[in-house]
Amino acid sequence: MDKQPLTPLAQAVQQVLADITSLTEVEQVSLDQAQGRVLSKALVSPIAVPPFANSQMDGYAGRFDELRAETFLPVRLRVPAGSSPPELPFGSLARIFTGAPIPEGADTVIMQEDMTTQEQDGQLFARPSRLPDCKGRFVRQSGADIQPGQILLGPGRRLGSADIGFLASVGVQKVDVFRQPRVAIFSTGDELVQPGGALGPGQIFDSNRPMMRTVFGQYGLSVSDLGRLPDKADATREALQRASHSHDMVLTCGGVSVGEEDHVKAAVTALGSLRLWKLAMKPGKPFAFGQINRCYFVGLPGNPVSAWVTFFLLGQLLLRRLEGETAPNLLKFTAPAGFDWPRPDPREEFLRGRLDDQGFLHIHARQDSHILSSLVESTGLIRIPGNTTVVQGDRLDFFPYRF
Ligand code: AMP
Ligand code: MG
């Protein structure tokens, strides 16, 4: 089994995303609960946005042909936002404010800084001190952003704050979203003590489970934290089986390597199917994916950096697909290396590093998979393809994870 071929990450992503059947149950939530949820059907606009032509500036609205004469015209209307003005009489102007409806007849707005005003017998007059460059200047046309009947957002989109504003702009108050996945997490290992406890000989604190609870929290999910599994085959199998009945995804950390104390993989194989094991990447080789009953299984490596990196690059995509996101992906851009990497590795590597102010990538000095400080002191993952050396200036993929 140790001779298992390693799967390249890109292939693993494709395989796993194709393998996952997204949840289909739908629920309705109010707009203020919709942030981070995944739309289950397309939303169509019932109205135009803006719903009426309105002014983009505080200024004066008039007819372009009259404004072009650059003569004083009487200001006959005053149009604040939220009002409903009458038609603008010929040969006159309207004092208008940002967001106020353009009166019938007017077609152009001149900002107040570009107008000269004077008063005569209690009547205000104004003329352009600078001509508008075209008819329609500073008029926000009705429907310029959204047309009635237009599809606003499609199914499978995870809603962000701009989306919420967009939906609010057409008066949407409730949206149909997929229900959230029920996720259970376990850590594994007889050496683990929970933070708050006291370390005995040979023991370490369990850092992965609090870390994983948090990453699911970032997706607005509350997870069932099912604690720590001992390094025992029976207990591992029983716990995984029980969790699989009431969850859509079970995630474990550790116990998926090749040692005799690694019981997770064997348990999944016995209870269901193991579809993927071992990635051709560093850190993160002992990653596992499978299914127990109708529940997906994700086995992260035990080393904390490997656990975090594999969840970031693969696990979260899988979770997002499960929740119905159509095309889950990661933010990535390329930047020149500010370092040399003379020792190629057959496995693709994801080095912890950062982007400097000049746009060059730098790697953290310590890249071992148990050094959590390398993650904390970095801002992204730098990808080095397998069997590749790097010299300064070579462009590399960078996956930012904090700013
Ligand atoms: P394993 O894959 O179980 O052999 O674990 C690999 C390494 O990660 C070992 O050094 C474990 O002690 C460590 N490890 C496993 N799980 C955790 C955890 N939840 N928190 C911190 N370290 C862990
Ligand atoms: Mg272990």
Side-chain angles (χ1 to χ4, degrees):
M1 198 62 172
D2 202 15
K3 289 279 171 284
Q4 177 98 0
L6 308 185
T7 308
L9 177 65
Q11 189 184 321
V13 169
Q14 274 197 347
Q15 180 188 328
V16 163
L17 292 186
D19 202 325
I20 294 235
T21 305
S22 301
L23 302 176
T24 51
E25 296 102 308
V26 170
E27 60 196 34
Q28 200 169 60
V29 295
S30 67
L31 203 57
D32 55 2
Q33 300 295 313
Q35 149 89 340
R37 301 295 298 270
V38 180
L39 271 186
S40 66
K41 66 175 193 212
L43 275 169
V44 174
S45 181
I47 61 161
V49 179
F52 51 88
N54 67 87
S55 178
Q56 196 172 335
M57 292 288 171
D58 290 332
Y60 295 83
R63 293 175 173 83
F64 184 64
D65 290 340
E66 293 179 356
L67 291 166
R68 255 199 316 208
E70 291 185 78
T71 54
F72 277 105
L73 293 170
V75 179
R76 297 244 185 262
L77 296 179
R78 188 172 186 283
V79 193
S83 64
S84 174
E87 187 173 343
L88 180 69
F90 280 99
S92 72
L93 298 172
R95 176 76 173 115
I96 198 162
F97 300 91
T98 305
I102 304 291
E104 190 67 40
D107 53 40
T108 302
V109 170
I110 301 184
M111 59 174 143
Q112 61 193 33
E113 293 86 337
D114 289 342
M115 291 294 270
T116 306
T117 56
Q118 69 180 33
E119 235 185 272
Q120 210 179 322
D121 303 332
Q123 169 67 56
L124 185 68
F125 289 80
R127 77 172 171 80
S129 48
R130 224 181 90 191
L131 272 184
D133 43 19
C134 64
K135 187 172 173 175
R137 191 81 182 114
F138 297 132
V139 174
R140 300 162 170 167
Q141 298 299 344
S142 166
D145 189 7
I146 301 167
Q147 293 288 324
Q150 182 184 325
I151 293 182
L152 298 169
L153 297 171
R157 183 182 176 98
R158 190 175 291 275
L159 297 172
S161 50
D163 299 324
I164 303 286
F166 191 52
L167 296 178
S169 79
V170 304
V172 165
Q173 204 256 324
K174 286 186 168 141
V175 289
D176 290 329
V177 295
F178 292 115
R179 85 158 164 84
Q180 293 180 301
R182 295 177 301 238
V183 178
I185 59 174
F186 291 103
S187 49
T188 69
D190 291 340
E191 74 280 29
L192 300 178
V193 174
Q194 297 318 300
L199 289 183
Q203 293 186 318
I204 59 169
F205 286 119
D206 184 343
S207 46
N208 288 350
R209 199 141 46 82
M211 188 162 76
M212 285 306 130
R213 271 203 305 267
T214 312
V215 292
F216 286 109
Q218 283 168 2
Y219 281 102
L221 302 181
S222 55
V223 299
S224 316
D225 181 347
L226 300 184
R228 180 188 66 84
L229 289 172
D231 288 321
K232 299 226 168 17
D234 292 353
T236 302
R237 210 171 42 241
E238 279 158 29
L240 289 181
Q241 180 161 39
R242 208 172 321 118
S244 75
H245 289 134
S246 46
H247 295 91
D248 306 298
M249 181 192 281
V250 171
L251 180 129
T252 61
C253 300
V256 280
S257 218
V258 292
E260 295 103 71
E261 299 289 346
D262 294 325
H263 301 291
V264 174
K265 186 165 57 67
V268 175
T269 309
L271 295 169
S273 60
L274 191 76
R275 311 261 179 82
L276 180 72
W277 183 48
K278 285 198 182 175
L279 300 175
M281 66 183 267
K282 197 176 161 181
K285 184 164 78 163
F287 175 93
F289 169 74
Q291 195 164 358
I292 303 170
N293 303 312
R294 296 181 60 189
C295 175
Y296 293 104
F297 161 77
V298 175
L300 301 182
N303 273 312
V305 174
S306 313
W308 194 91
V309 167
T310 49
F311 185 83
F312 181 76
L313 292 173
L314 179 52
Q316 68 169 325
L317 298 179
L318 199 153
L319 174 77
R320 285 160 58 180
R321 183 87 198 94
L322 179 62
E323 199 181 346
E325 247 187 271
T326 315
N329 58 7
L330 299 173
L331 180 61
K332 175 184 87 169
F333 56 87
T334 67
F339 61 93
D340 293 328
W341 188 253
R343 290 159 287 136
D345 194 286
R347 280 187 279 160
E348 180 181 31
E349 295 196 56
F350 288 90
L351 305 173
R352 275 71 69 212
R354 66 185 174 83
L355 190 70
D356 71 15
D357 293 344
Q358 274 71 49
F360 284 87
L361 296 171
H362 299 278
I363 52 174
H364 194 275
R366 307 194 57 192
Q367 294 291 335
D368 310 272
S369 55
H370 61 289
I371 303 290
L372 260 182
S373 55
S374 71
L375 266 182
V376 172
E377 291 161 4
S378 298
T379 57
L381 300 176
I382 301 168
R383 187 177 85 90
I384 310 232
N387 299 308
T388 303
T389 56
V390 171
V391 293
Q392 285 194 36
D394 287 353
R395 295 193 74 85
L396 296 171
D397 288 341
F398 185 63
F399 297 79
Y401 57 73
R402 66 178 290 139
F403 304 101

